[in-house]
DNA sequence: GTCTATACATGGATAGAC
DNA sequence: GTCTATCCATGTATAGAC
């Protein structure tokens, strides 16, 4: 049920891509259909409306989030390090969906998108709390991650000075803080 | 030249409000005109096109940013403390314009909005660098601020657990870090 | 300086052929 | 399952009256 390399999946991919690259407004049925290699009518056979596309993305997000949390939970380097690192990595399946939903949420037209993101963030929050006892630091970790996502969501494709190596510095700084505060 | 309580200003206000509250897509000429108390035609007399509205916002942003940096520079509590605190305060003239531009930037249709935000962030970066010597920590401070803005921009009106008092904890944590790293 | 009327384009969605 | 044709709503922008 989760693994169909069908037209449906590639339409969803195209929608995701369109939203990320050109914004929700530009992600018209026609544009998405063209990118997915079908016609408007063809698209509408699989997704009866634009809202259905959003719903499809939400569903995908929930599945990916579950997997993401699972991987995070068993990350050998620790939850926080892995978490922050993965926040820069904007080129995974997870990130694509997450960023697309971020855009949709901001459009104000899709409360379901906002809800899905809230669920994800809530999962992260709980997990981080298991590793970081100080609530202020835990909050700080989440804010840094949000900041990283915000950056990549806002300046798509633009290298904005938060490269992977620079993030290592940030991670180390957070580490110092966590150690200093854990007594 | 900067102080006209004219229709032009109130139209710009209405546009800003519309973008923040309902997203860029809902900020149609008609909706903005209605909110500003003029007709579509009336609006278009002052702003010949939708792009002119965006340009007006960008101009406003540049003016406000200058004032903001000035205030930050002489903040008695220090630049970082003031900076982070003001990132939660989403109810100033500055924040309204900033958040509206954030939304516009994400729509992908207004590069000028992205540019304006880049200028603002660049001003902040430079200023923070004068107070925080460690580049990783300086970057962290910016990311936290971005995170806070992202939160308020994404969940408008929603109390998302980052209240003013909780932010004090975050500020103190950052303070610890700055002190620990400044030798 | 502000309004009404209207032209024009575009996007979402339906109907029905293949 | 996918396409074409078409309808309808909405949004931007222009023209011209007041």
């Amino acid at each position: 049920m989760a693994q169909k390399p069908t037209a449906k999946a590639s339409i969803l991919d195209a929608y995701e891509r369109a939203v990320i690259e050109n914004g929700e407004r530009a992600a018209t049925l026609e544009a998405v259909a063209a990118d997915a290699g079908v016609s408007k009518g063809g698209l509408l056979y699989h997704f009866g409306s634009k809202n259905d596309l959003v719903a499809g993305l939400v569903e995908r997000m929930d599945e990916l989030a579950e997997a993401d949390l699972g991987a995070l939970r068993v990350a050998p380097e620790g939850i926080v390090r892995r978490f922050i690192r993965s926040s820069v990595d904007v080129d995974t399946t997870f990130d694509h969906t997450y960023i697309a939903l971020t855009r949709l949420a901001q459009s104000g037209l899709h409360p379901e998108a906002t809800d899905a993101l809230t669920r994800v963030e809530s999962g992260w929050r709980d997990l981080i709390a298991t590793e970081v006892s100080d609530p202020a630091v835990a909050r700080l970790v989440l804010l840094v991650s949000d900041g990283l996502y915000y950056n990549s969501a806002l300046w798509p494709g633009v290298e904005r000075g938060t490269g992977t190596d620079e993030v290592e510095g940030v991670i180390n700084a957070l580490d110092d803080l966590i150690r200093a505060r854990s007594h």
Side-chain angles (χ1 to χ4, degrees), chain A residues 4-15 17 36 46-47 60:
Chain A
K4 285 181 196 166
T6 28
K8 206 162 170 171
S10 61
I11 288 172
L12 212 49
D13 287 345
Y15 180 57
R17 228 174 299 139
H46 295 288
F47 297 92
R60 178 179 276 191

Side-chain angles (χ1 to χ4, degrees), chain A residues 145-157:
Chain A
S145 160
D146 283 346
L148 287 168
Y149 266 113
Y150 167 89
N151 274 255
S152 42
L154 202 44
W155 284 267

Side-chain angles (χ1 to χ4, degrees), chain A residues 15 19 24 54 57 100-110 113:
Chain A
Y15 180 57
V19 171
E24 92 93 15
V54 179
L57 227 53
L101 280 176
T102 297
R103 295 284 185 89
L104 293 176
Q106 298 227 359
S107 78
L109 302 168
H110 308 287

Side-chain angles (χ1 to χ4, degrees), chain A residues 3 12 36 55 72 78 89 103 105 108 110 138 141 150 158 161 165:
Chain A
Q3 208 68 331
L12 212 49
L72 217 47
D89 223 356
R103 295 284 185 89
H110 308 287
V141 169
Y150 167 89
V158 175
D165 31 302

Side-chain angles (χ1 to χ4, degrees), chain A residues 63-147:
Chain A
E63 288 166 13
L64 291 172
E66 198 174 349
D68 178 71
L69 283 177
L72 217 47
R73 201 172 285 119
V74 299
E77 56 214 294
I79 293 169
V80 170
R81 292 189 92 92
R82 172 65 148 271
F83 176 63
I84 295 294
R85 267 199 202 105
S86 65
S87 301
V88 225
D89 223 356
V90 279
D91 217 29
T92 67
T93 323
F94 177 90
D95 295 304
H96 292 161
T97 307
Y98 185 85
I99 293 175
L101 280 176
T102 297
R103 295 284 185 89
L104 293 176
Q106 298 227 359
S107 78
L109 302 168
H110 308 287
E112 333 112 69
T114 310
D115 294 344
L117 292 177
T118 305
R119 281 194 295 278
V120 174
E121 188 119 349
S122 157
W124 282 337
R125 191 192 323 278
D126 294 346
L127 198 52
I128 289 171
T130 67
E131 190 177 279
V132 181
S133 52
D134 188 316
V137 177
R139 161 66 56 185
L140 194 116
V141 169
L142 267 167
L143 286 173
V144 169
S145 160
D146 283 346

Side-chain angles (χ1 to χ4, degrees), chain A residues 15 24-25 27-29 44 47-55:
Chain A
Y15 180 57
E24 92 93 15
R25 198 165 185 173
T28 66
L29 296 184
L44 284 165
F47 297 92
S49 74
K50 227 178 169 198
N51 274 334
D52 280 8
L53 279 172
V54 179

